[in-house]
Amino acid sequence: MSVWKYVTAGCVVALSIMAMRKLSKVYQVYKRGMALCGGELKGKTAIITGANCGIGRATALELAKRQARVILACRSEEKGKAAISDIKRFTKNGDLVYKHLDLESLKSVREFCSDIIENEPQLDILINNAAVMNHPYVQTEDKIEINMSVNHFGPFLLTNLLLELLKKSSPSRIIFVSSALHKYGTVDLENFQNQQKKPYADSKLANVYFARELAERLKNTEVAVHTIHPGMVNTELSRHSVPQALNFIVNPIKFLLLPSAIEGSQGIVHLATANLGKDTGKYYGKTGQEEKWPDISADTAVWKKLWDVSEKITNQNSQ
């Protein structure tokens, strides 16, 4: 028994040291930032969807440090404003603004875009970050399966309604925060109301098809389109994928083994700030390095068909 006591004590000490080092690293990263790329964003306006937590909030912090005007587009006013207060603990720079946006609701998307178009003279960076992962099946008020609504149809309508402002503010850029899991998805163009086979992968593949077709349509403009997968990161995204009763086990493991949100945001910050010349329509990994598009994303005919279907479902021209 004495041997096991020593083993247990050793494990506790080792885990404690790991936890303390991780906490220290996370704090230092939040305090000073990590991204060395890109310059000052003074005079630039950025919108980040889902910026109240995780990678979205971390990205908002990094852009605020560079003196950008950052609009945190979030569903919860309480969480959005709390995120702003948290960011202000680490930087006095930037102009941070909360605006309500619920990607489950096409009405909310239209109201948000009307507000932006009416009150914001420019939009330099749009970061489509908000997402849900494997949300239990439910139809939204627009009769769309919820994962597809939040991850594809909401961003589709949002981006299209803001395109004229992005063009007016060019050179500007649109960033899609994707997932490498999209390569395991399928898109059934006749089935956006029923439960998806692989809700997250399917909706992220739809989002990738949209990003690729959008880049093609904007090729002769000064609005660049970038897509990035940040890899596995310790955020709240997986909250619907793990039984709540297991969180007391899973959360400490995630904390110790996965990159923090601020680490996971660095590739996004790179795409938002770096001088990428005329690059557009490309795919990037978690560090912001260009990667080859997965083969599944290359079907241009599906891009166009999904675009047409998405226009009909979102009734894009309706105000």
Side-chain angles (χ1 to χ4, degrees), residues 19 30 61 65 72 75 77 86 103 112 115 121 169 174 177 180 185 200-201 204 221 229 235 243 248 251 260 282 305:
Y30 263 103
L61 167 62
K65 285 180 177 179
L72 289 79
R75 182 172 60 177
E77 180 176 2
D86 182 56
L103 291 170
F112 172 84
D115 181 2
S169 309
I174 302 166
V177 182
Y200 185 66
K204 280 298 185 180
T221 72
H229 72 87
T235 69
F248 77 100
N251 287 344
S260 64
K282 294 184 176 180
K305 289 177 183 176

Side-chain angles (χ1 to χ4, degrees), residues 22-36:
K22 181 78 175 193
L23 281 169
S24 175
K25 181 180 179 182
V26 170
Y27 176 76
Q28 290 301 320
V29 168
Y30 263 103
K31 188 174 181 180
R32 71 175 186 274
M34 282 180 61
L36 301 177

Side-chain angles (χ1 to χ4, degrees), residues 4 8 20 24-25 46 60 115 118-119 124 127 139 162 164 167 175 187 203 212 218 225 237 253 259 275 282 292 311:
W4 286 109
T8 302
M20 290 176 65
S24 175
K25 181 180 179 182
D115 181 2
E118 182 177 349
N119 296 300
D124 305 278
I127 302 177
Q139 283 188 7
L162 294 177
E164 288 306 313
K167 290 177 180 177
I175 300 169
V187 174
S203 58
R212 299 211 68 180
L218 295 176
V225 179
L237 182 63
I253 294 173
N275 181 2
K282 294 184 176 180
K292 182 180 180 295
E311 279 191 327

Side-chain angles (χ1 to χ4, degrees), residues 4-295:
W4 286 109
K5 286 182 179 179
Y6 284 120
V7 170
T8 302
C11 289
V12 169
V13 171
L15 288 172
S16 298
I17 293 172
M18 288 174 65
M20 290 176 65
R21 292 174 70 176
K22 181 78 175 193
L23 281 169
S24 175
K25 181 180 179 182
V26 170
Y27 176 76
Q28 290 301 320
V29 168
Y30 263 103
K31 188 174 181 180
R32 71 175 186 274
M34 282 180 61
L36 301 177
C37 61
E40 188 177 279
L41 293 174
K42 190 172 184 179
K44 303 289 187 181
T45 298
I47 291 175
I48 308 173
T49 65
N52 60 283
C53 63
I55 288 178
R57 181 169 63 184
T59 303
L61 167 62
E62 291 288 339
L63 300 193
K65 285 180 177 179
R66 291 161 172 77
Q67 302 192 53
R69 174 174 171 79
V70 186
I71 298 172
L72 289 79
C74 316
R75 182 172 60 177
S76 167
E77 180 176 2
E78 179 183 358
K79 292 180 179 179
K81 291 185 175 180
I84 290 175
S85 296
D86 182 56
I87 290 168
K88 287 182 176 179
R89 290 170 51 214
F90 297 96
T91 181
K92 302 299 182 185
N93 293 335
D95 177 11
L96 297 158
V97 180
Y98 161 80
K99 287 188 181 290
H100 176 75
L101 172 65
D102 184 356
L103 291 170
E104 292 181 26
S105 166
L106 299 181
K107 178 183 177 183
S108 175
V109 173
R110 288 192 177 90
E111 290 174 346
F112 172 84
C113 291
S114 294
D115 181 2
I116 295 296
I117 292 167
E118 182 177 349
N119 296 300
E120 298 294 330
Q122 69 184 73
L123 175 58
D124 305 278
I125 305 164
L126 171 61
I127 302 177
N128 284 308
N129 163 75
V132 293
M133 185 178 190
N134 300 329
H135 192 292
Y137 174 69
V138 66
Q139 283 188 7
T140 67
E141 64 187 28
D142 303 292
K143 307 301 181 185
I144 305 170
E145 189 275 328
I146 192 167
N147 292 274
M148 276 291 178
S149 179
V150 174
N151 296 350
H152 171 62
F153 289 105
F156 178 87
L157 181 61
L158 175 80
T159 305
N160 275 288
L161 291 179
L162 294 177
L163 265 184
E164 288 306 313
L165 184 56
L166 284 158
K167 290 177 180 177
K168 174 185 170 184
S169 309
S170 63
S172 55
R173 57 191 72 182
I174 302 166
I175 300 169
F176 289 90
V177 182
S178 183
S179 167
L181 293 177
H182 81 266
K183 68 182 73 171
Y184 302 111
T186 56
V187 174
D188 182 349
L189 296 173
E190 304 298 326
N191 178 21
F192 292 117
Q193 294 180 323
N194 298 329
Q195 188 166 6
Q196 305 296 302
K197 293 179 181 178
K198 300 181 288 295
Y200 185 66
D202 295 351
S203 58
K204 280 298 185 180
L205 178 58
N207 196 232
V208 161
Y209 286 150
F210 167 45
R212 299 211 68 180
E213 176 65 13
L214 180 66
E216 193 67 24
R217 294 182 181 223
L218 295 176
K219 189 173 286 185
N220 295 320
T221 72
E222 290 190 277
V223 183
V225 179
H226 309 297
T227 304
I228 183 171
H229 72 87
M232 293 184 66
V233 180
N234 182 19
T235 69
E236 297 177 16
L237 182 63
S238 62
R239 61 185 176 274
H240 297 298
S241 301
V242 178
Q244 192 169 1
L246 296 179
N247 280 338
F248 77 100
I249 297 175
V250 174
N251 287 344
I253 294 173
K254 286 168 57 181
F255 173 77
L256 289 174
L257 300 181
L258 296 181
S260 64
I262 196 72
E263 293 171 281
S265 73
Q266 298 308 299
I268 302 167
V269 176
H270 169 73
L271 295 181
T273 60
N275 181 2
L276 300 174
K278 295 186 177 180
D279 282 356
T280 188
K282 294 184 176 180
Y283 182 61
Y284 300 86
K286 56 188 176 183
T287 61
Q289 295 297 310
E290 184 183 349
E291 294 186 3
K292 182 180 180 295
W293 277 104
D295 292 341

